[in-house]
Amino acid sequence: MPKKELETANRPDNTAFTQQRLPAWQPILSAGIVIPGFVLIGLAFIGIGVALFLTSRNITVLEMDYTGVETTSDCYKCSAGTLPNCVCNLYFTLNETFPGTVYFYYGLSNYFQSYRKFGASRDDNQLSGDTYYFTSPLAVCTPYQYDVNNNPIVPCGISANSMFNDTFNLYQLVNGSKTVPLDGRGIAWWSDYNIKFRNPTSDPLRNAFNGTVKPPFWSKPVFELDLTDKSNNGFLNQDFLVWMRRAALPNFRKLYRRITGPDYASGLPPGNYTIEIAYNYPVMSFNGRKKVVLSNVSWMGGKNDFLGVAYLVVGSLCIVMSMVMLIVYAKFKFPDDV
Amino acid sequence: TLCSHMRTLRVDSRTIYVGHRPCHDPEAFIPPKFCDNRIVSSKYTVWNFLPKNLFEQFRRIANFYFLIIFLVQVIVDTPTSPVTSGLPLFFVITVTAIKQGYEDWLRHKADNEVNKYLVTVLEDGQRMRKESEKIKVGDVVEVVEDETFPCDLVLLRSSREDETCFVTTASLDGESNHKTHYTVPDMEQDLLSLNATIECEQPQPDLYKFVGRMHMYRNNQEHAVRSLGPENLLLKGATLKNTEKIYGVAVYSGMETKMALNYQGKSQKRSAVEKSINAFLLVYLCILVSKALVCTTLKYVWQSQPVFFSVPTEIGLKYNLMYLKMFTDFLSFMVLFNFIIPVSMYVTVEMQKFLGSFFISWDKDFFDPEIQEGALVNTSDLNEELGQVEYVFTDKTGTLTQNNMEFIECCIDGFQYKYTDSSTELDGFCVTDGPEKEELFLRALCLCHTVQVKEPDGAKCHPAELRGFIASSPDEVALVIGAMKYGFTFLGMESNSMKVMNRNNEVETYQLLHVLNFDPVRRRMSVIVRSKSGDTMLFCKGADSSIFPRVRQHEVERIRMHVERNATEGYRTLCVAYKLLKPEEYALVDTELREARLSLQDREDKLLKVYNQVEDNMSLIGATAVEDRLQEEAAETMEALQGAGMRVWVLTGDKMETAKSTCYACRLFQRGTELLELTVRTLEDGGRNREDRLHDRLKSMFKLNWSSSHQDYGFIIDGATLSLVLNSSTDSDCYKTLFLKICQNCTSVLCCRMAPLQKAQIVKLVKCSKGSPITLSIGDGANDVSMILEAHVGIGIKGKEGRQAVRNSDYAIPKLKHLKKLLLAHGHLYYVRIAHLVQYFFYKNLCFILPQFLYQFFCGYSQQPLYDAAYLTMYNICFTSMPILAYSLVEQHICMEALLENAALYRDVAKNAMLRWGPFSYWTLLGVYQGLLFFFGVRFLFGNPALQDNGQVFGNWSYGTIVFTVLVFTVTLKLALDTRYWTWVNHFVIWGSLAFYTFFSFFWGGIIWPFLRQQRLYFVFANMLSSVAAWLVIILLIILSLLPEILLQVLRKPRGTHSRQVLHTHTHTHTDRYYPHKHTHTHRHTHTHTHTHRQVLPPQTHRHTDTHTDRYYPHTHTHTHTHRQVPHTDRYYPHTHTQTGTTHRQVLPPHTHTDRYHTHTHTHTHTHTDGHRQVIILANKSLVKRTSL
């Protein structure tokens, strides 16, 4: 009896795991599986690619630069940045209806919102309505933490200070000019508007900002961004929210408005239009460009030919490769698939 | 003269005052200072643990690198928080510190157990109980039976009457037999009044060497001098046996004891994989530095242009400040990209090695029911090295052979005697004409040895047959037992006389006068005994080469023939000689021997001289043949190793003929092998200088046409010639390399008559040769320790010669046959696993960091991280670590059976095949390709960032998250593609990791985390998933990244033989659609034969009966199969037998055996459909008989 116990004590466990004999699936990628697989993937990709390509083709985009580099441009006068409250107009003509809900974007080029200091220089505590940080903003906000008089800046930091402040009005030129209503709601992420950004709980809102100053670049304090609509004021101002979501690349566009007025719900009818631009944002100093983009969107978002083309290319590639493999297979007969 | 002698000794000797009593000159007595008896094997104390351990950990280059990165992050304004690198580093350091602390605590505990052990010390006439650590050199210590000696003692008194005591040194060298030690001769009985000093050499680690002398001062007497040798020294760690109690004086204590001196931390062996990792690290470090440099440069180029407003730049700074800023920018980039060298790789590699090594100790195939033990892993650092072995150095005795000696036959005066069990009569004995010679021979066998009779407990009168014999060499036991079979029984020693029972059951008594011990240089041992009649005789036994020159030449010839025949049959042979000493001769010898034994200096040389003098002019009586059986499956193992491309070198201390025959038996040499011999014998013909002849031979051998044919060469060299080669005076290096080149061209090399150190020399020679091949040494005895320590991988066999080899080895296995699985299956798998692990780690971090680098071009070189800090930290720790760890533990790209069946598969990974620059560049290119794809694929998508159907736009964190999602899925699926062995573990971790990533991203982005300064990822992941375009680009990029990989796997396969071999093996272990038969023992046996002829046979059905008897596998089996054969052409196996009825399909063509060393006979009976029968008897490969019936 003790001898047997000894034996069991020393003998290694005879389990599948310890003996490395776990039941296992041993797949082999043979041509017999891969060729039909490639054909299927290829066909699916080509299908998706065609759908994407056609969708993208159907999206109408109107892109207009208004930086005012060329002297012929109406905005040329404003581009120097010497005129205060400079307003310029951008005319365009639609020969046919701009279909669907039209989205109004503004675009900036050679503008590095992705610059690290730019993104890091903000205080999310302030932006979530924590008034403690109104009096002492985070140090990352430098050089826009305190002003020269040592008053805390709210909202502090480079991000907020550099907020895009051109404003646009769209008019249809029929029998004089008819304002095309622009809808500024729902342009920012739902989560930003409803959870991430919060105004301090005080009524009126401005009381919470006592003792703070506005960012130096701003013309009005944050609690006066939209005096007409309480729900679009303060940190919840949707233009502010859109700006604070940093663009990934130096050439980007941001959603400005949606054209949803009763006359324009199904698109912009043909005709002449003008965009009245309050030209405030200086970009010429760093060779930046500003533009206005009108676009409708589809299920895949805005116009993007890349995705469709890529799917078509990869799909065809799969088909071609499966053909090549089939030829190789037919010619040399992989021995395993006999 | 004594004074002058003492002066010369002073430097390298110590004087010990027994019992601390001053001797002749009390005034001049200064108690000498020696170290105390404390054993310290621990590394740390409570106080120095933290600083010392941290220091040692940060001496590792990797840890130091991560510490620097961490410090940079703390000091310099960097894009990522110090937590991202500090946390993993802290984790690694803490875990290692805890592990090392625990190990050291265990050592402390063990030390304390030894140091606090209570011992009895005689102090001023009283017996005092003292803690062992308080023993001082000079103390007289009492030790009782079964106690271990607390320090090295010189035996003063024993309770046994014959002034001896018995000890076992099992814990020192593993030899469990009892060894006899002697008290100092003519010792005073009263230890209290003993006034003596001991002069002995300073401590040195050799366990079997001790030189000293004792001066005893008696009242009013000239002082007496006694010589002390190893037989008087009791070593710390040995245990007292069969002796009630002893008294001894401490001569070496504490860390100066021979045991402590022998305990040395084994040198750290580093595996070749680690070297590859370091080389790759260097490449990646270069990539890292160049990335940082490029970014820093471009940053300042870019900033020289006007930058968009309100961002402070460095342009206005003063010059010296600007350089500082540039430097910190460089460091920031380094930090940003440092993830390319992940700390987690080291952790994963360590874990893989540690956990993976359990599979070796768990393997039940390594379990030996005889010793009730399995394999032992002493180091897990070398697992993968087992898959890289190019040279195997094996010991012969105990490794290739069982070291289980059996007396086979003897030759007396030229007549052969063979004992057969079946008959009670002794064959052959009747034909001899000299019964006196015969009896002399048997008496010699009974007397000329150092065997002890094991006294069974209790009753003493056991039948002689049941007595056990204990000896340090199993040959001696075999000889004594052999003599017993012929009627002469050794009864044991009694007070210096040996008792032998002769054929007539009379007890003969011989007084043992001297034992001339065996040593490997002389290769013989002798005893001088005096018979009752007063004759003084010398009996000598030893190797033929050491005996033949010392006997009368005319006797030699008849016996030489027998000896050589026996040797070729693989037996160990010994020659026995004797000599009658005249009284005056003996008196001379006796004084000379005593003088030599007393001398303090060059004692061994002097003894040797006397021995050589005495052992001369003897007359040869006969020779013995003892069989040392081959280890189980020794031949198959060797064949498999050779099939795997390993060169097997046999290094043995045994004689050439015996070793050669073992090599033949192990199939290391084949009948067709041309043997190149380079031994003292081959060099001796020709009168010229031996060295010149050696050089000529080497040159001519080198000129052989090595590549001309498939001729196998074997090389034989002996120890003397080897030292001639290695220490050759002229152009020694040139001949050394010549010798090495010749050896490397031979399939097997046999080095015989090697001293232990020479074994290590050979290993070192090969190890350091061109291409630094990976060497493996395997052995079982203390004489193999040096080569086990020298080789890259040392394997110990848990054999009969103690445990020293096991303790010094890296891996220990119970039997030689386990080596095959250890190398071919475990080693191969470990190598593939770790190689894949390393390559995969570099690859996945390259395609992780490359997008981050590329992003710098789009963020104004501002060190903006592409990924969120959580992703940066978790990527290597959580998202991608588990699948590769699981893969590196359970993957079997080829299953074990296939690896064992097809030894050639081992060659596929030889020479570090998977970690060379080729595969490394492939993986790097793959990483670059995928990294570029990830980044630019998403970049083109972000040409229009309005990716949602409500027209909203995505920002930079969405960008990073899409890239990261593609990255995590791609690298995980890439691993899935590489996985050939999907167990539930793989499924769990691969799909689990992906699920975890998804879940984590939701969770991380779903909550406002109060401890975060910026809620960057809030809802980013959820928003991403709500965008169809993001989904589409993720799918597109994953598939596009994996396409080339899939394509390559499909196209690569037909060229390789892997899958074929996998299928082939399936036929043996499973029922398979290709070969629907179960594998039996017989078939495996058949597989070991090589079938060379390919012939297409006409369709025929034949019955085939295969009978063979085999010397090494003493069983006979007969099997009968009926086959119907159809002509068939197959690329791999030109013949396939189709199955009909009870027959089965056999993959191999019929019976064209090329193997000749099995002495078995194959009888094949083929029954053809037309009733025609054909019997083919194959014996030793040649077709002996072919009968058509």
Side-chain angles (χ1 to χ4, degrees), chain B residues 63-132:
Chain B
N63 285 347
F64 188 69
Y65 164 79
F66 295 114
L67 181 71
I68 294 292
I69 292 287
F70 174 70
L71 290 179
V72 167
Q73 278 180 304
V74 171
I75 296 162
V76 182
D77 167 40
T78 54
T80 53
S81 117
V83 178
T84 52
S85 68
L87 203 68
L89 182 66
F90 178 75
F91 177 75
V92 171
I93 297 288
T94 315
V95 168
T96 317
I98 288 174
K99 183 179 154 240
Q100 292 180 347
Y102 174 71
E103 282 170 358
D104 205 54
W105 180 70
L106 289 182
R107 282 194 287 267
H108 269 287
K109 235 173 73 169
D111 285 352
N112 268 344
E113 219 163 88
V114 175
N115 290 335
K116 302 287 180 208
Y117 188 79
L118 285 179
V119 294
T120 311
V121 175
L122 289 189
E123 234 169 49
D124 303 323
Q126 279 169 326
R127 296 169 73 243
M128 303 273 287
R129 295 292 277 176
K130 259 198 195 179
E131 282 172 358
S132 161

Side-chain angles (χ1 to χ4, degrees), chain B residues 22 92 109 112 204 233 244 248 278 309 359 427 509 571 573 604 624 670 680 772 793 832 853 877 912 967 1139 1185:
Chain B
V92 171
K109 235 173 73 169
N112 268 344
Q204 56 133 323
L233 188 71
E244 203 178 308
N278 287 339
F309 75 111
F359 284 120
D427 274 11
T509 318
Y571 299 134
T573 56
E604 260 121 64
T624 59
Q670 315 258 341
V680 177
S772 44
V793 189
V832 170
F853 167 69
I877 298 179
N912 213 4
L967 169 76
Q1139 181 177 359
K1185 205 163 90 192

